[in-house]
Amino acid sequence: MKIPNGRKIQLRKPEESDVVKLINWFQDPLFIKYLYGSQLQSMNELNQHAYQILNQNAKDTSAGLTLLMESKEQEAFGLIMFNHINWKDRNAELNIAIGEPQFRNSFNGIEAFILALIVGFCELNLHKIYGYVYHNNANSKHIVERAGVYEGTLRKHYYRDGEFVDLKVYSFFSAQFKDLLLNLKDNVLKKTFQQGYLNEYL
């Protein structure tokens, strides 16, 4: 699998040397605040989850794939996670989470999202990628609404911070991906394409 890189973000598979960082991120309330799925509690659960990420990445037919985001200075700062990969129906759930506060900005969010779609559509050959966005996660809603199809709301679907909250469901399709890149080429990702990144996917 060829792993794409952007102007600000480069991707790689996590290694054993990253386990401590992964555990620290999954203990950070801000990292997991909008991350869909069960919150891990014990250190044993956290450690098992970190090694599960490494193990699933070793198999090309796994139901999950996790990529580590790092800066051009090779500072790791977040994860792109494909869960529930359905190879038969060619779809998967996408989660993106940034662990280091200084990297939580709109450009990194958009570039990470586009790199994730490139991996999903161009490398994993998926037909559809879907994701869940908490109703109060304005940053994620802003990003996915530029590219995705709103499929509906799962009302009071998830218990978080003492209350049941809504989840909005979005989907993205391979047939629409090239048009999305062409649109972003002339605005938010203009410098990225001008500097020679991602042009091969047009």
Side-chain angles (χ1 to χ4, degrees):
M1 181 180 75
K2 180 180 178 181
I3 299 177
N5 291 314
R7 183 167 65 92
K8 295 287 188 179
I9 299 173
Q10 54 192 27
L11 304 178
R12 64 174 173 83
K13 289 186 176 182
E15 302 170 354
E16 190 163 6
S17 58
D18 299 308
V19 165
V20 172
K21 184 173 284 290
L22 296 179
I23 290 173
N24 288 337
W25 286 345
F26 282 107
Q27 287 180 305
D28 180 2
L30 289 178
F31 180 80
I32 63 175
K33 181 176 181 181
Y34 296 122
L35 191 60
Y36 180 65
S38 300
Q39 296 185 45
L40 303 170
Q41 300 295 329
S42 69
M43 183 58 68
N44 185 50
E45 287 179 315
L46 291 163
N47 193 63
Q48 286 181 352
H49 186 62
Y51 278 97
Q52 179 185 359
I53 287 172
L54 300 186
N55 291 334
Q56 74 181 8
N57 281 354
K59 303 173 185 177
D60 290 338
T61 57
S62 172
L65 171 69
T66 298
L67 297 174
L68 189 111
M69 294 183 280
E70 59 183 16
S71 68
K72 294 300 182 178
E73 294 72 37
Q74 298 186 321
E75 181 178 357
F77 65 86
L79 297 174
I80 290 174
M81 295 161 279
F82 290 92
N83 301 315
H84 310 296
I85 301 175
N86 184 325
W87 296 105
K88 176 179 177 292
D89 298 321
R90 295 170 53 208
N91 62 61
E93 175 197 327
L94 173 64
N95 267 306
I96 299 174
I98 295 178
E100 302 300 326
Q102 67 271 28
F103 291 95
R104 291 177 181 143
N105 59 61
S106 58
F107 182 83
N108 281 334
I110 291 172
E111 187 167 86
F113 177 65
I114 294 303
L115 290 173
L117 294 185
I118 288 173
V119 170
F121 294 136
C122 302
E123 301 302 326
L124 301 181
N125 194 32
L126 297 176
H127 155 70
K128 175 181 178 179
I129 296 171
Y130 60 92
Y132 305 102
V133 177
Y134 289 103
H135 73 287
N136 58 346
N137 188 350
N139 289 336
S140 289
K141 282 196 290 185
H142 174 71
I143 292 171
V144 299
E145 285 172 357
R146 299 177 69 105
V149 175
Y150 170 63
E151 293 203 347
T153 298
L154 299 172
R155 298 181 61 245
K156 301 188 183 302
H157 186 72
Y158 200 69
Y159 191 74
R160 180 60 64 91
D161 298 328
E163 63 175 339
F164 288 97
V165 297
D166 295 347
L167 286 177
K168 294 183 178 294
V169 185
Y170 291 88
S171 59
F172 318 93
F173 295 92
S174 59
Q176 302 166 337
F177 182 55
K178 187 173 181 179
D179 288 339
L180 170 64
L181 282 184
L182 288 170
N183 177 267
L184 294 176
K185 179 183 178 182
D186 296 324
N187 48 65
V188 69
L189 293 182
K190 187 173 183 178
K191 288 185 178 179
T192 298
F193 283 96
Q194 286 177 340
Q195 294 180 21
Y197 296 98
L198 310 184
N199 286 292
E200 62 190 286
Y201 298 103
L202 290 175

